[in-house]
Amino acid sequence: MSKTLIVLEIIGFVQAPLLWWLFKKYAKRNVLGELIAAGIVGVFWEIATEPLWDYNFRINFYRDTPAAVITGWMIMLTLVPIISEKLFRLVFKKDPIADKDKRIFLFDIVTAIFICLPMEAVGAHFGVWTYNIDVLGWDWGIIPFFNLPWELIMGYSLLMLIAPTFVRYWQGEFEK
């Protein structure tokens, strides 16, 4: 295991508590519920898709799926709903967002592309994982600059139709 992967795995374990602390201190917002709900989605996603990628971290919780990857999901799926809602309010000048306003899905998808794609690119570039292209059958080509398969945008878009909604719905329950 390279030193870079060791450092990235350590960062993986530190990033969620650091995000919680930064929000608590500077935004005066407790995001613990979002982090827990996002972690649940991350665990589900990683177990469900485990054969599709090979990981290269040491501390795993399911087959070769690293615990530190779950904190990545916690970061992404905490930030996506928060930023998506802020953008929604900015564009539509609506506060609060009406229940079941389906336009939020578009904001979730766009926000996810800006948050998740760079994180995905860093992980793939440094070898945190490799895609099992033969299993995935991905052949749409490569996203310029990010050097990632185009199918990732479709995958994130589909996931963002459910994951941020789950986080929004359950966040308060985990903070009680």
Side-chain angles (χ1 to χ4, degrees):
M1 184 173 190
S2 74
K3 288 181 184 179
T4 302
L5 285 175
I6 292 169
V7 169
L8 288 173
E9 190 163 14
I10 291 168
I11 290 169
F13 285 111
V14 171
Q15 65 184 351
L18 179 61
L19 184 76
W20 172 82
W21 180 80
L22 289 170
F23 264 91
K24 191 90 161 157
K25 181 161 178 74
Y26 296 107
K28 307 294 185 231
R29 179 173 178 167
N30 183 8
V31 294
L32 182 61
E34 287 96 327
L35 288 166
I36 294 170
I40 291 169
V41 173
V43 168
F44 171 80
W45 185 255
E46 290 301 330
I47 290 173
T49 63
E50 187 273 332
L52 303 178
W53 10 86
D54 291 322
Y55 287 104
N56 299 304
F57 279 167
R58 287 195 178 165
I59 303 171
N60 301 321
F61 75 93
Y62 177 74
R63 296 187 182 171
D64 77 333
T65 306
V69 168
I70 301 308
T71 63
W73 284 110
M74 293 168 78
I75 298 300
M76 290 187 296
L77 295 177
T78 293
L79 292 177
V80 167
I82 290 170
I83 294 171
S84 174
E85 290 168 11
K86 292 211 178 291
L87 289 173
F88 184 96
R89 289 181 182 110
L90 181 72
V91 169
F92 293 114
K93 310 273 190 270
K94 290 188 138 196
D95 194 28
I97 299 170
D99 283 346
K100 298 183 182 178
D101 189 332
K102 291 162 211 55
R103 296 176 295 181
I104 195 67
F105 290 134
L106 178 61
F107 287 83
D108 290 344
I109 291 168
V110 169
T111 303
I113 289 169
F114 284 103
I115 291 173
C116 302
L117 218 50
M119 290 179 75
E120 184 87 19
V122 168
H125 173 76
F126 286 109
V128 173
W129 58 80
T130 53
Y131 306 106
N132 289 329
I133 298 296
D134 54 326
V135 175
L136 291 162
W138 288 350
D139 59 3
W140 293 355
I142 300 296
I143 303 168
F145 178 72
F146 291 104
N147 198 31
L148 295 171
W150 277 105
E151 288 88 347
L152 284 171
I153 290 179
M154 179 60 71
Y156 274 118
S157 297
L158 293 171
L159 183 61
M160 292 308 126
L161 295 175
I162 55 171
T165 302
F166 179 87
V167 171
R168 285 184 189 103
Y169 184 82
W170 287 101
Q171 68 188 18
E173 292 301 315
F174 292 117
E175 290 173 1
K176 290 182 180 176

